[in-house]
Amino acid sequence: MKTEIRKSLSGWPFWLTLLILCGMTIYSALFIIHSDLEASTRIVRKVVDLESNPMLSVKSLYSNWIGAEWMTPFSTLFFFVFPLCAAIPYGLSLYQERRSGYMGQMVLRETRARYLLNKYVAVFLSGGLVIAVPVVLNIMIIALYFPAHAPDLNYDIYTTVKAFSFGSKLYYEIPWLYLMIRVAVIFWYGGVAATVSMAVTFFSRNRFVILFTPMLFFLLLNYSYTLFQVPYEISPLRFLGSGNVYYVVTPIVIGEALFLSFLTIAFIGLRGRKKDVL
Amino acid sequence: MFCRLLRYDIRKGLISDYKKLLIVVAISVAFCIQFRWEYTSHFSSLSEASFGDIIFFAFSGMSEYTFSPDQPFLFPALWVLLLVLPMFFVLYYPFYDLLGFGKNVLIQVGRRRTWWLSKCAWTAVYIMTYFLIIYAVTAVFCIVMRIPLSTQISGETHEMVAMKGYNPMLNGEGHLVEFMGRMDLQLFVLPVISMVALALFQMMLSLIVSPIYSFIISVGILISSAYYMNPFLIGNHCMTQRSNLVVSNGMDIKNGVLLSLCMAVFSIVLGMIAFNRTDVLSQPLRDE
């Protein structure tokens, strides 16, 4: 397993994708900070009315990190391309190892189940990390400028956390824990997206189909909510970030991740056990 | 030779790959049904609807977005899906072909320029086919639902899409103009030309970076188009809600065609230069 994890995190696709995603999140953070600095300068120069509300309660780490801001297109783009980016680092490894015959060699040296388990863990970790690390970096940069004071309930229209939505109680009471849970959920979905592409390896021999299936799946899911007028946000492309209009409810966020994790494990377990390595 | 190669590309990259296009059929049926639901929920019957209405609805996109702290940016799901799909469909055939039999074809052709131009023509044909399928499925839906096959856009649909999406407090300086009911070129020609240009740009980028990263750039252009109402972001020309026939500061068709042509010519020429220098034998796909 150690070898698999090392392989998954040392390849250049992992580092290049990480670099691109970090670029997006850094831009998002710097843009937010720059905009706030400009607004503050206007107040200092008395360009704006000093009696107007300076909205200090909104100027918090918890309402300006990439999962809560919608000021820059990069925050939307980041959560839009996450299924593809999660699959890039190691999603193709099983396909490549099957094609090159490496899998056959490995299966001779250890059990097939063990090989697939190690591969699954490595793919999950690489997908999760490549998505979660840029988010953490964004939070760190935002935290350098914005204070981490608890959000004010009176300003709830300026945040995407609606009453009774996913983690809303925690958001106002223990916001740092809420932030950690949100990052953990983002990590989980990144891992799930990567393992979906691994599961597709057993159904397709086309590397592009393998890589793009998670993104197409999430895109179709994203469209289905408008088509079927679902009252809750069901698309991870929307609820992982800030661009949501409907309620983000806990059973859907956790249930969807659990369901997809179970589905990928079942597919990989069943098909991987039966499908001939040669 | 060029025509033979193009025929080969169309046969191999389009006709024998028909399964992908079934997804387009399914999505077209889905948005037709969605239109029916939304229209009947607003106006009780489909009597005033037309073929043009459904296409107007499908490619409506979103009105201009101006940042507001209490107004989250929501990318238009259907519009993004309809434009991202063809970008994915045309992404890999040219380079996947080079991994196998395509190398022999390239040797047989003898000239890299012919091979590249054939792939460019194939991309244009693919995008046109993609849009034709959407129009054909919509036409069949109209026939089944007894909706007139007219390209006239009804005031009801304009009200349902453009007026509902328009918010004078948020939509910048633009205001709705008096709608004349027809925008055939903006509806049926401009999206095709714009998407062909973007697809050629993506193919050129695929040579320089890699197909996967070039796809991310294309998606970035489309998302940015939804975010910023700027004529240089080509996705704006594919949104009916951002046409100058709908909003006063909207996109002009002449600019859209000119920008698309410039982008297409630039991509073809730069792609040709890049392909002449690409080592197709050792590393056809850099991300492998």
Side-chain angles (χ1 to χ4, degrees):
Chain A
M1 189 177 287
K2 256 191 212 165
T3 314
E4 281 291 349
I5 293 171
R6 200 170 50 237
K7 270 165 63 187
S8 73
L9 304 182
S10 59
W12 70 262
F14 176 83
W15 289 102
L16 183 60
T17 312
L18 189 68
L19 197 71
I20 292 170
L21 293 179
C22 283
M24 286 186 197
T25 57
I26 290 171
Y27 176 85
S28 159
L30 294 181
F31 192 94
I32 292 286
I33 293 170
H34 181 254
S35 304
D36 192 71
L37 277 171
E38 265 193 347
S40 306
T41 314
R42 281 204 298 273
I43 292 174
V44 172
R45 286 180 186 166
K46 298 178 184 176
V47 176
V48 293
D49 183 10
L50 283 173
E51 287 176 8
S52 64
N53 187 351
M55 310 277 283
L56 291 174
S57 298
V58 185
K59 292 179 180 181
S60 159
L61 161 69
Y62 303 110
S63 48
N64 284 292
W65 68 289
I66 196 164
E69 67 97 359
W70 54 76
M71 203 166 171
T72 63
F74 277 112
S75 62
T76 306
L77 183 62
F78 180 85
F79 291 106
F80 189 85
V81 295
F82 96 86
L84 173 63
C85 292
I88 291 173
Y90 213 50
L92 275 177
S93 68
L94 188 63
Y95 158 82
Q96 285 164 340
E97 289 181 8
R98 278 183 73 195
R99 210 179 60 162
S100 64
Y102 183 84
M103 183 182 172
Q105 296 292 324
M106 292 306 290
V107 166
L108 283 175
R109 285 163 174 77
E110 56 185 347
T111 64
R112 190 186 287 231
R114 191 158 183 83
Y115 169 76
L116 288 173
L117 176 74
N118 292 343
K119 183 66 77 185
Y120 185 91
V121 171
V123 170
F124 187 94
L125 276 180
S126 66
L129 281 175
V130 84
I131 302 301
V133 168
V135 174
V136 172
L137 185 66
N138 174 274
I139 293 169
M140 286 163 71
I141 295 172
I142 289 287
L144 289 173
Y145 180 80
F146 288 99
H149 64 72
D152 190 336
L153 190 58
N154 295 311
Y155 290 83
D156 66 334
I157 60 162
Y158 300 110
T159 63
T160 48
V161 185
K162 296 183 178 68
F164 309 111
S165 68
F166 173 62
S168 57
K169 197 169 158 48
L170 273 182
Y171 181 67
Y172 290 105
E173 289 178 357
I174 320 171
W176 63 265
L177 185 58
Y178 169 82
L179 198 63
M180 283 175 75
I181 291 173
R182 281 286 300 271
V183 175
V185 168
I186 289 169
F187 175 85
W188 191 358
Y189 272 93
V192 164
T195 52
V196 166
S197 71
M198 184 184 163
V200 177
T201 307
F202 294 108
F203 301 93
S204 175
R205 288 182 176 184
N206 185 321
R207 60 200 302 286
F208 286 89
V209 172
I210 294 167
L211 267 184
F212 283 89
T213 299
M215 181 156 188
L216 284 181
F217 171 74
F218 284 125
L219 259 178
L220 289 172
L221 190 68
N222 182 63
Y223 173 55
S224 66
Y225 98 98
T226 35
L227 179 64
F228 300 115
Q229 305 285 315
V230 184
Y232 303 110
E233 204 66 74
I234 58 167
S235 166
L237 302 184
R238 287 187 191 270
F239 68 60
L240 289 182
S242 60
N244 50 70
V245 267
Y246 296 113
Y247 276 109
V248 181
V249 290
T250 312
I252 288 182
V253 176
I254 304 298
E256 211 171 291
L258 272 175
F259 176 71
L260 287 173
S261 305
F262 171 76
L263 212 63
T264 51
I265 291 169
F267 269 132
I268 292 165
L270 291 174
R271 294 284 294 187
R273 206 178 52 184
K274 287 188 177 175
K275 190 102 174 174
D276 198 337
V277 178
L278 301 172
Chain B
M1 186 50 97
F2 172 78
C3 294
R4 276 181 64 192
L5 189 55
L6 180 59
R7 266 206 308 275
Y8 161 81
D9 282 333
I10 290 172
R11 205 171 50 241
K12 196 157 180 280
L14 180 62
I15 298 169
S16 61
D17 208 18
Y18 67 93
K19 283 178 198 163
K20 273 190 301 191
L21 294 172
L22 293 177
I23 301 174
V24 189
V25 174
I27 291 168
S28 305
V29 171
F31 76 66
C32 287
I33 294 169
Q34 189 194 351
F35 171 80
R36 186 180 176 274
W37 282 350
E38 290 205 14
Y39 194 92
T40 47
S41 68
H42 279 82
F43 307 108
S44 73
S45 83
L46 281 168
S47 57
E48 296 296 323
S50 71
F51 169 74
D53 282 2
I54 303 180
I55 301 297
F56 182 82
F57 169 79
F59 290 99
S60 61
M62 63 185 286
S63 57
E64 184 184 1
Y65 176 76
T66 311
F67 172 73
S68 163
D70 56 348
Q71 196 68 29
F73 170 73
L74 299 165
F75 60 88
L78 175 60
W79 180 83
V80 165
L81 184 64
L82 284 175
L83 298 192
V84 164
L85 268 185
M87 290 298 106
F88 165 62
F89 289 160
V90 298
L91 178 67
Y92 63 81
Y93 166 71
F95 304 97
Y96 214 72
D97 188 48
L98 270 184
L99 283 174
F101 190 62
K103 276 180 195 152
N104 299 329
V105 176
L106 184 59
I107 293 164
Q108 191 70 26
V109 171
R111 293 183 74 184
R112 284 183 178 226
R113 186 187 294 178
T114 313
W115 188 92
W116 174 253
L117 288 176
S118 164
K119 291 295 177 280
C120 291
W122 170 84
T123 304
V125 170
Y126 201 110
I127 299 287
M128 282 188 259
T129 311
Y130 176 85
F131 278 92
L132 275 177
I133 290 172
I134 291 176
Y135 300 148
V137 172
T138 310
V140 170
F141 180 82
C142 288
I143 293 166
V144 172
M145 300 304 295
R146 293 180 184 168
I147 294 170
L149 285 172
S150 156
T151 54
Q152 178 84 19
I153 297 153
S154 66
E156 282 82 355
T157 303
H158 178 253
E159 186 187 323
M160 184 179 85
V161 175
M163 289 169 83
K164 195 180 145 195
Y166 178 74
N167 185 342
M169 299 292 285
L170 295 170
N171 290 152
E173 293 168 357
H175 58 85
L176 288 176
V177 295
E178 192 186 347
F179 189 58
M180 307 307 285
R182 289 203 89 92
M183 48 188 305
D184 296 349
L185 290 175
Q186 283 89 341
L187 215 53
F188 299 102
V189 179
L190 194 54
V192 182
I193 297 175
S194 307
M195 291 318 288
V196 168
L198 187 59
L200 289 172
F201 182 68
Q202 179 183 267
M203 197 163 77
M204 180 269 290
L205 279 181
S206 299
L207 282 174
I208 297 166
V209 278
S210 85
I212 292 158
Y213 295 109
S214 72
F215 178 79
I216 293 175
I217 293 170
S218 300
V219 170
I221 291 172
L222 290 174
I223 293 282
S224 306
S225 303
Y227 201 91
Y228 297 114
M229 191 160 145
N230 186 322
F232 290 103
L233 291 168
I234 203 154
N236 279 294
H237 299 284
C238 305
M239 284 194 211
T240 53
Q241 277 198 74
R242 291 191 182 175
S243 163
N244 61 355
L245 299 179
V246 176
V247 282
S248 59
N249 60 342
M251 301 295 131
D252 184 38
I253 185 165
K254 283 181 213 145
N255 293 341
V257 172
L258 193 69
L259 177 77
S260 304
L261 287 178
C262 290
M263 197 170 169
V265 171
F266 169 78
S267 307
I268 291 170
V269 173
L270 201 68
M272 200 186 290
I273 295 166
F275 187 61
N276 278 333
R277 294 174 182 195
T278 305
D279 183 1
V280 290
L281 291 174
S282 66
Q283 213 179 10
L285 290 166
R286 290 167 191 215
D287 50 339
E288 190 155 71

